[in-house]
Amino acid sequence: MPTFTRPIAHIPAKFTGIFKNMLVSEVPMLGFRAMQALMDLRAAAGRQSGEALKGISDHVPPADRQGGADRQAIARVILRQGCRLERREDARLPDALLLAASQPETNAAAFTCATAILLADRIQMGLGQDNLSRHWEAFRDTYAMLPRHDRAAIFQGYLVASDLGRVRIEADASELPRLSEELEPLLKDLRSLAAEQEPELSVAVAARLGGVDATLARPHLRALLAGTGQQALTGDSLLFAPLLSLAAGSDNVARAAAAVLLAEALSTSDGEGWFAITLWPERIRDWLALPPRDGRAILAGLRYLYESDPAWVPVPERLVSPRHASSEPLLPVLDDSYGQSRPGDRLG
């Protein structure tokens, strides 16, 4: 949908039908971290049970429900508007969302869903105006007890919205339980993925190094695959250049090389930019297209980089409209829906 900044009265007549029911039409352009947080919030809202819609709509005054601010309207906001309040009838919803987001003991699904919508709406500069500071102070401990994907989405949403100046919180990101993936199981999965191709990977590395270098590098590769090495992998290591070259491919050996590099990058927050600078631009769309069995470990590793380091951003960073999110290479939520549907495409 086009984005207009002029009042509706000044938009050519052929376009006014699109916006006649909209109170806000301008959508902010967002960078990678804001887009990723937004998509995770949309997924969190859509993941809740049908009780979430009932719990939110119960807070809408009866007269407003009769006027269209009902469960169907909330479902439309989630599924059709990407959790952005923007239509005239949506103006009846912010108060109900704020109330639902303040009563976790009454309806936990509505609490999570409403919180996700409110944060997503603020990131997208929708109709909501509350800075959510009171909710943050009152419920940050409650957020910490949510299921891990909901918990991570909400904490990351608060952090991103705060960075954008759309909410007001006081928090040290390093102290927040903002991760959906645990490091040790993730490292195990990456090394297991690489070890499945150990013979082929060893041959491919040796072919690129040749001679004495291949012999010297072999013990280091074995140690990395086993997770027992004391020697870190750096840009100066003999193994680095062949692994990076192999990871840029599209076969099983490429996935194994990427898994080795990613396991090492997690320990340094990708400090040398192997993924943010070099591999993401070339490979992310191929990694997203992998079958779940092959793609999960790599995508989980990339998600860990995003969630653990507030400064991690693939470069060059593009600013895009949330309306065009489906065209951007964003990380899927690795919940039960992974490999089955896009985040936010369902309710419950």
Side-chain angles (χ1 to χ4, degrees), residues 136-150:
W136 173 258
E137 291 300 325
F139 300 111
R140 59 185 295 178
D141 291 339
T142 305
Y143 302 147
M145 294 185 289
L146 293 174
R148 61 190 177 108
H149 295 108
D150 295 338

Side-chain angles (χ1 to χ4, degrees), residues 161-195:
S162 177
D163 287 343
L164 293 172
R166 314 273 166 75
V167 304
R168 189 172 73 241
I169 64 172
E170 293 183 6
D172 181 347
S174 65
E175 298 178 355
L176 300 178
R178 65 197 189 282
L179 306 179
S180 61
E181 304 292 333
E182 295 182 8
L183 182 57
E184 289 306 316
L186 178 52
L187 292 174
K188 181 179 179 181
D189 289 345
L190 287 168
R191 289 166 182 152
S192 176
L193 177 63

Side-chain angles (χ1 to χ4, degrees), residues 36-46 83 115-116 119-120 123 153-154 157:
Q36 186 65 60
L38 174 60
M39 294 305 292
D40 292 348
L41 288 166
R42 290 175 175 178
C83 294
T115 302
L119 286 167
I123 289 172
I154 286 175

Side-chain angles (χ1 to χ4, degrees), residues 19-40:
F19 296 107
K20 66 181 180 180
N21 291 322
M22 298 180 68
L23 290 180
V24 289
S25 59
E26 183 178 4
V27 182
M29 304 295 279
L30 302 175
F32 167 78
R33 294 194 65 83
M35 287 292 291
Q36 186 65 60
L38 174 60
M39 294 305 292
D40 292 348

Side-chain angles (χ1 to χ4, degrees), residues 4-198:
F4 294 96
T5 59
R6 292 181 293 169
I8 289 178
H10 298 289
I11 296 175
K14 65 180 179 179
F15 291 124
T16 56
I18 299 175
F19 296 107
K20 66 181 180 180
N21 291 322
M22 298 180 68
L23 290 180
V24 289
S25 59
E26 183 178 4
V27 182
M29 304 295 279
L30 302 175
F32 167 78
R33 294 194 65 83
M35 287 292 291
Q36 186 65 60
L38 174 60
M39 294 305 292
D40 292 348
L41 288 166
R42 290 175 175 178
R47 187 163 47 236
Q48 306 311 308
S49 68
E51 285 299 306
L53 302 185
K54 180 181 184 302
I56 296 171
S57 64
D58 283 348
H59 292 292
V60 178
D64 287 341
R65 285 203 296 272
Q66 293 174 3
D70 53 13
R71 297 188 204 184
Q72 287 72 27
I74 300 164
R76 167 178 48 75
V77 167
I78 297 171
L79 297 176
R80 304 299 178 209
Q81 296 170 208
C83 294
R84 185 176 192 248
L85 305 174
E86 58 189 12
R87 298 170 64 92
R88 295 186 187 279
E89 52 267 41
D90 298 342
R92 304 182 181 99
L93 295 177
D95 286 347
L97 289 165
L98 289 167
L99 284 169
S102 64
Q103 298 181 15
E105 70 287 347
T106 301
N107 187 321
F111 170 78
T112 301
C113 184
T115 302
I117 294 173
L118 288 166
L119 286 167
D121 180 66
R122 294 303 299 130
I123 289 172
Q124 298 175 95
M125 295 179 66
L127 293 176
Q129 297 298 313
D130 197 284
N131 63 24
L132 300 181
S133 60
R134 292 171 298 176
H135 285 70
W136 173 258
E137 291 300 325
F139 300 111
R140 59 185 295 178
D141 291 339
T142 305
Y143 302 147
M145 294 185 289
L146 293 174
R148 61 190 177 108
H149 295 108
D150 295 338
R151 179 187 69 228
I154 286 175
F155 276 114
Q156 295 288 349
Y158 267 110
L159 290 171
V160 165
S162 177
D163 287 343
L164 293 172
R166 314 273 166 75
V167 304
R168 189 172 73 241
I169 64 172
E170 293 183 6
D172 181 347
S174 65
E175 298 178 355
L176 300 178
R178 65 197 189 282
L179 306 179
S180 61
E181 304 292 333
E182 295 182 8
L183 182 57
E184 289 306 316
L186 178 52
L187 292 174
K188 181 179 179 181
D189 289 345
L190 287 168
R191 289 166 182 152
S192 176
L193 177 63
E196 290 177 3
Q197 302 296 322
E198 180 175 1

